[in-house]
Short mmCIF file of all heavy atoms in Angstrom, two decimals:
data_model
loop_
_atom_site.label_atom_id
_atom_site.label_comp_id
_atom_site.label_asym_id
_atom_site.label_seq_id
_atom_site.Cartn_x
_atom_site.Cartn_y
_atom_site.Cartn_z
N VAL A 1 9.06 4.30 2.15
CA VAL A 1 9.72 3.75 3.33
C VAL A 1 10.27 2.36 3.04
O VAL A 1 11.39 2.03 3.41
CB VAL A 1 8.74 3.69 4.52
CG1 VAL A 1 9.36 3.06 5.75
CG2 VAL A 1 8.20 5.08 4.83
N ARG A 2 9.46 1.55 2.35
CA ARG A 2 9.88 0.18 2.04
C ARG A 2 8.89 -0.44 1.06
O ARG A 2 7.82 0.10 0.82
CB ARG A 2 9.96 -0.68 3.29
CG ARG A 2 8.61 -0.97 3.91
CD ARG A 2 8.70 -1.76 5.23
NE ARG A 2 7.40 -2.00 5.78
CZ ARG A 2 6.59 -1.10 6.35
NH1 ARG A 2 6.98 0.15 6.42
NH2 ARG A 2 5.42 -1.43 6.82
N TYR A 3 9.26 -1.57 0.52
CA TYR A 3 8.35 -2.40 -0.25
C TYR A 3 8.05 -3.61 0.63
O TYR A 3 8.95 -4.15 1.28
CB TYR A 3 8.97 -2.84 -1.57
CG TYR A 3 9.00 -1.74 -2.60
CD1 TYR A 3 9.98 -0.76 -2.58
CD2 TYR A 3 8.02 -1.68 -3.58
CE1 TYR A 3 9.99 0.26 -3.52
CE2 TYR A 3 8.03 -0.65 -4.53
CZ TYR A 3 9.02 0.30 -4.49
OH TYR A 3 9.02 1.31 -5.41
N GLY A 4 6.79 -4.01 0.67
CA GLY A 4 6.42 -5.14 1.51
C GLY A 4 5.19 -5.84 0.98
O GLY A 4 4.61 -5.43 -0.03
N THR A 5 4.80 -6.90 1.65
CA THR A 5 3.65 -7.68 1.22
C THR A 5 2.36 -6.88 1.42
O THR A 5 2.31 -5.95 2.23
CB THR A 5 3.54 -9.00 1.99
OG1 THR A 5 3.45 -8.70 3.38
CG2 THR A 5 4.74 -9.89 1.74
N ASP A 6 1.35 -7.25 0.68
CA ASP A 6 0.04 -6.62 0.78
C ASP A 6 -0.51 -6.84 2.18
O ASP A 6 -0.66 -7.97 2.62
CB ASP A 6 -0.88 -7.24 -0.27
CG ASP A 6 -2.29 -6.70 -0.23
OD1 ASP A 6 -2.61 -5.84 0.61
OD2 ASP A 6 -3.10 -7.15 -1.06
N PRO A 7 -0.83 -5.76 2.91
CA PRO A 7 -1.32 -5.94 4.28
C PRO A 7 -2.67 -6.65 4.35
O PRO A 7 -3.06 -7.15 5.40
CB PRO A 7 -1.43 -4.51 4.81
CG PRO A 7 -1.49 -3.64 3.61
CD PRO A 7 -0.75 -4.36 2.52
N PHE A 8 -3.38 -6.74 3.22
CA PHE A 8 -4.67 -7.42 3.19
C PHE A 8 -4.59 -8.79 2.54
O PHE A 8 -5.59 -9.46 2.35
CB PHE A 8 -5.71 -6.55 2.46
CG PHE A 8 -5.86 -5.20 3.10
CD1 PHE A 8 -5.32 -4.08 2.51
CD2 PHE A 8 -6.52 -5.07 4.31
CE1 PHE A 8 -5.45 -2.83 3.10
CE2 PHE A 8 -6.65 -3.84 4.92
CZ PHE A 8 -6.11 -2.72 4.32
N ASN A 9 -3.38 -9.18 2.15
CA ASN A 9 -3.13 -10.49 1.54
C ASN A 9 -4.02 -10.76 0.33
O ASN A 9 -4.40 -11.91 0.10
CB ASN A 9 -3.27 -11.61 2.57
CG ASN A 9 -2.25 -11.49 3.67
OD1 ASN A 9 -1.08 -11.22 3.41
ND2 ASN A 9 -2.68 -11.65 4.90
N SER A 10 -4.34 -9.73 -0.43
CA SER A 10 -5.18 -9.96 -1.61
C SER A 10 -4.40 -9.78 -2.91
O SER A 10 -4.97 -9.88 -3.98
CB SER A 10 -6.40 -9.04 -1.59
OG SER A 10 -6.01 -7.69 -1.62
N SER A 11 -3.11 -9.50 -2.82
CA SER A 11 -2.29 -9.30 -4.01
C SER A 11 -0.96 -10.02 -3.85
O SER A 11 -0.36 -10.00 -2.78
CB SER A 11 -2.03 -7.81 -4.22
OG SER A 11 -1.10 -7.64 -5.27
N PRO A 12 -0.48 -10.63 -4.93
CA PRO A 12 0.82 -11.29 -4.88
C PRO A 12 1.99 -10.31 -5.02
O PRO A 12 3.14 -10.68 -4.85
CB PRO A 12 0.78 -12.25 -6.08
CG PRO A 12 -0.09 -11.54 -7.07
CD PRO A 12 -1.14 -10.83 -6.24
N PHE A 13 1.70 -9.05 -5.32
CA PHE A 13 2.74 -8.07 -5.58
C PHE A 13 3.27 -7.43 -4.30
O PHE A 13 2.56 -7.32 -3.31
CB PHE A 13 2.21 -6.96 -6.49
CG PHE A 13 1.79 -7.45 -7.83
CD1 PHE A 13 0.46 -7.54 -8.17
CD2 PHE A 13 2.74 -7.83 -8.76
CE1 PHE A 13 0.07 -7.99 -9.41
CE2 PHE A 13 2.37 -8.29 -10.01
CZ PHE A 13 1.02 -8.38 -10.33
N GLN A 14 4.51 -6.99 -4.38
CA GLN A 14 5.07 -6.17 -3.32
C GLN A 14 4.41 -4.80 -3.39
O GLN A 14 4.28 -4.23 -4.47
CB GLN A 14 6.59 -6.03 -3.49
CG GLN A 14 7.34 -7.33 -3.28
CD GLN A 14 7.34 -7.71 -1.82
OE1 GLN A 14 7.82 -6.98 -0.98
NE2 GLN A 14 6.78 -8.87 -1.50
N MET A 15 3.98 -4.29 -2.26
CA MET A 15 3.34 -2.99 -2.20
C MET A 15 4.37 -1.94 -1.79
O MET A 15 5.37 -2.24 -1.15
CB MET A 15 2.19 -2.99 -1.20
CG MET A 15 1.07 -3.91 -1.57
SD MET A 15 0.18 -3.29 -2.99
CE MET A 15 -0.08 -4.79 -3.89
N MET A 16 4.11 -0.70 -2.15
CA MET A 16 4.98 0.42 -1.82
C MET A 16 4.44 1.07 -0.54
O MET A 16 3.37 1.68 -0.55
CB MET A 16 4.97 1.43 -2.96
CG MET A 16 5.82 2.64 -2.73
SD MET A 16 5.59 3.88 -4.04
CE MET A 16 6.03 2.97 -5.50
N CYS A 17 5.16 0.91 0.55
CA CYS A 17 4.78 1.54 1.81
C CYS A 17 5.45 2.90 1.86
O CYS A 17 6.63 3.03 1.58
CB CYS A 17 5.22 0.68 2.99
SG CYS A 17 4.51 -0.97 2.95
N ASN A 18 4.65 3.91 2.19
CA ASN A 18 5.19 5.27 2.17
C ASN A 18 4.62 6.08 3.33
O ASN A 18 3.69 5.64 4.00
CB ASN A 18 4.89 5.92 0.83
CG ASN A 18 3.43 6.12 0.59
OD1 ASN A 18 2.88 7.14 0.98
ND2 ASN A 18 2.75 5.15 -0.01
N SER A 19 5.19 7.24 3.54
CA SER A 19 4.77 8.09 4.65
C SER A 19 3.86 9.24 4.21
O SER A 19 3.51 10.09 5.02
CB SER A 19 5.99 8.64 5.39
OG SER A 19 6.76 9.47 4.54
N ALA A 20 3.46 9.27 2.93
CA ALA A 20 2.54 10.32 2.45
C ALA A 20 1.12 9.91 2.82
O ALA A 20 0.63 8.92 2.30
CB ALA A 20 2.66 10.50 0.94
N PRO A 21 0.49 10.62 3.74
CA PRO A 21 -0.87 10.23 4.15
C PRO A 21 -1.83 10.14 2.96
O PRO A 21 -1.88 11.03 2.13
CB PRO A 21 -1.29 11.34 5.11
CG PRO A 21 -0.01 11.88 5.64
CD PRO A 21 0.95 11.79 4.49
N ILE A 22 -2.54 9.02 2.89
CA ILE A 22 -3.56 8.83 1.87
C ILE A 22 -4.89 9.12 2.53
O ILE A 22 -5.30 8.42 3.46
CB ILE A 22 -3.50 7.40 1.30
CG1 ILE A 22 -2.17 7.18 0.57
CG2 ILE A 22 -4.68 7.14 0.36
CD1 ILE A 22 -1.91 5.75 0.15
N GLU A 23 -5.53 10.18 2.09
CA GLU A 23 -6.79 10.60 2.68
C GLU A 23 -7.87 9.54 2.44
O GLU A 23 -7.92 8.93 1.36
CB GLU A 23 -7.24 11.93 2.07
CG GLU A 23 -6.25 13.06 2.21
CD GLU A 23 -6.30 13.71 3.56
OE1 GLU A 23 -7.31 13.58 4.25
OE2 GLU A 23 -5.30 14.36 3.93
N HIS A 24 -8.73 9.32 3.43
CA HIS A 24 -9.84 8.39 3.29
C HIS A 24 -10.67 8.79 2.06
O HIS A 24 -11.02 9.95 1.91
CB HIS A 24 -10.71 8.41 4.55
CG HIS A 24 -11.89 7.51 4.47
ND1 HIS A 24 -11.77 6.14 4.53
CD2 HIS A 24 -13.21 7.77 4.31
CE1 HIS A 24 -12.97 5.61 4.43
NE2 HIS A 24 -13.85 6.57 4.29
N GLY A 25 -10.93 7.83 1.20
CA GLY A 25 -11.68 8.12 -0.02
C GLY A 25 -10.81 8.47 -1.21
O GLY A 25 -11.31 8.84 -2.26
N SER A 26 -9.49 8.35 -1.05
CA SER A 26 -8.58 8.67 -2.16
C SER A 26 -7.96 7.43 -2.80
O SER A 26 -7.04 7.56 -3.60
CB SER A 26 -7.45 9.59 -1.67
OG SER A 26 -7.93 10.87 -1.42
N SER A 27 -8.45 6.25 -2.47
CA SER A 27 -7.93 5.04 -3.12
C SER A 27 -8.06 5.18 -4.62
O SER A 27 -9.08 5.66 -5.13
CB SER A 27 -8.68 3.81 -2.64
OG SER A 27 -8.46 3.60 -1.27
N GLY A 28 -7.03 4.76 -5.33
CA GLY A 28 -7.01 4.87 -6.79
C GLY A 28 -6.37 6.15 -7.29
O GLY A 28 -6.18 6.32 -8.49
N SER A 29 -6.02 7.04 -6.38
CA SER A 29 -5.37 8.29 -6.76
C SER A 29 -3.88 8.06 -7.00
O SER A 29 -3.29 7.14 -6.44
CB SER A 29 -5.56 9.34 -5.66
OG SER A 29 -6.92 9.65 -5.51
#
């Protein structure tokens, strides 16, 4: 959808915001 700032403000990088649901417990996938 867009690139934007880290919603948790813990990274200086632009994050990739997307519409593909990330299932709870799938971080790092």
Side-chain angles (χ1 to χ4, degrees):
V1 177
R2 68 184 179 289
Y3 284 80
T5 58
D6 178 359
F8 302 105
N9 297 317
S10 62
S11 172
F13 297 107
Q14 292 289 300
M15 296 290 139
M16 180 187 302
C17 301
N18 65 88
S19 63
I22 296 171
E23 302 280 339
H24 179 72
S26 288
S27 295
S29 296

